[in-house]
Amino acid sequence: MARHANSLRSPPGHATERPTRATPDDAFNRARELWLAGERIHLASLAEELNIGRATLFRWVGNKNLLLGEILWSLYAPIREWAREQTPGEGIDYIAGVYHRINSVLLNDAALRRFISQDPEYALRILTSASSTLHNRVVQANTRMLWEQIDAGHLPKPSMKVESLSYFMVRLAESCLYSDVISGRAPRQDELEDACRAVRILLGGTAN
């Protein structure tokens, strides 16, 4: 919400404090707070709260789907960074370890599960569709990680396109994380373990 100057006069010799206007960061941060609190985001209400016009808010965030995608990525990216820092080794062991750590966190994330339960079909579209900000960025991040390991000589170049391998890895994770919406089964850790074993096989290793 935009902050306003104190209505009292400033002491003599002090400049009057000017009201500060909301910024794109204010809009994003407030929307992120609402999402984490489990509240639905309405752009009209957000614009009113920030004391800005709807056109201004749309210019800043695009639309609700894009805004949610940015919020989800802002929460996912630190998890991925943490997983990469915590995972030892190289090659298949490293990639499978990062994959396991990230998706184990997501499987048990209360805010994500709440978002899915509120409107499953809409949430699935935001999380997994071809136009999904999160889905596309995760595929790109996996692709970069795979190439890092290939270029360093820690991973043989796969027989399929690296981008395709990355895509399949993401879809495997999504099938476990969102199985309650996709197939009516509650997400389970043992299915995620199977997905991790499948990733090892896709990478040219053996299931451990």
Side-chain angles (χ1 to χ4, degrees):
M1 181 180 292
R3 292 172 294 175
H4 299 277
N6 194 304
S7 59
L8 299 176
R9 287 183 179 273
S10 299
H14 289 263
T16 301
E17 181 185 353
R18 294 182 179 180
T20 58
R21 294 180 61 83
T23 67
D25 283 344
D26 292 330
F28 176 80
N29 290 334
R30 179 56 181 149
R32 192 174 186 266
E33 289 174 357
L34 292 170
W35 188 88
L36 286 169
E39 299 183 35
R40 295 180 185 273
I41 297 172
H42 300 286
L43 295 189
S45 299
L46 182 59
E48 183 178 357
E49 180 179 344
L50 294 170
N51 196 28
I52 59 175
R54 296 186 190 183
T56 298
L57 182 61
F58 274 91
R59 188 169 68 251
W60 288 351
V61 305
N63 58 41
K64 182 179 176 180
N65 290 1
L66 290 173
L67 176 58
L68 283 170
E70 292 295 336
I71 290 170
L72 289 165
W73 177 254
S74 77
L75 298 167
Y76 172 89
I79 296 171
R80 186 179 189 89
E81 183 178 352
W82 165 82
R84 296 200 62 172
E85 291 173 351
Q86 294 297 313
T87 303
E90 58 191 31
I92 293 173
D93 288 341
Y94 175 75
I95 292 171
V98 170
Y99 185 86
H100 184 274
R101 279 183 166 86
I102 292 171
N103 292 299
S104 292
V105 171
L106 297 179
L107 187 71
N108 297 289
D109 187 87
L112 180 60
R113 305 257 61 93
R114 183 172 57 228
F115 174 59
I116 295 169
S117 68
Q118 288 174 341
D119 190 340
E121 292 185 4
Y122 178 69
L124 196 65
R125 186 163 71 250
I126 297 300
L127 292 163
T128 71
S129 73
S131 60
S132 164
T133 300
L134 180 66
H135 169 83
N136 289 325
R137 287 184 180 175
V138 174
V139 172
Q140 292 167 10
N142 276 353
T143 301
R144 289 193 296 271
M145 181 172 66
L146 288 166
W147 274 117
E148 287 171 9
Q149 294 297 306
I150 292 168
D151 290 342
H154 302 319
L155 184 72
K157 189 174 180 181
S159 56
M160 70 178 76
K161 292 181 179 179
V162 174
E163 293 79 6
S164 297
L165 174 56
S166 173
Y167 173 84
F168 293 141
M169 289 171 61
V170 174
R171 285 304 191 199
L172 270 171
E174 291 171 347
S175 70
C176 298
L177 296 173
Y178 316 129
S179 61
D180 45 349
V181 184
I182 296 171
S183 57
R185 301 192 317 275
R188 301 199 313 267
Q189 185 69 38
D190 62 332
E191 286 195 352
L192 178 58
E193 300 299 330
D194 286 340
C196 292
R197 283 188 280 270
V199 164
R200 296 185 69 90
I201 293 171
L202 282 172
L203 294 172
T206 57
N208 290 341

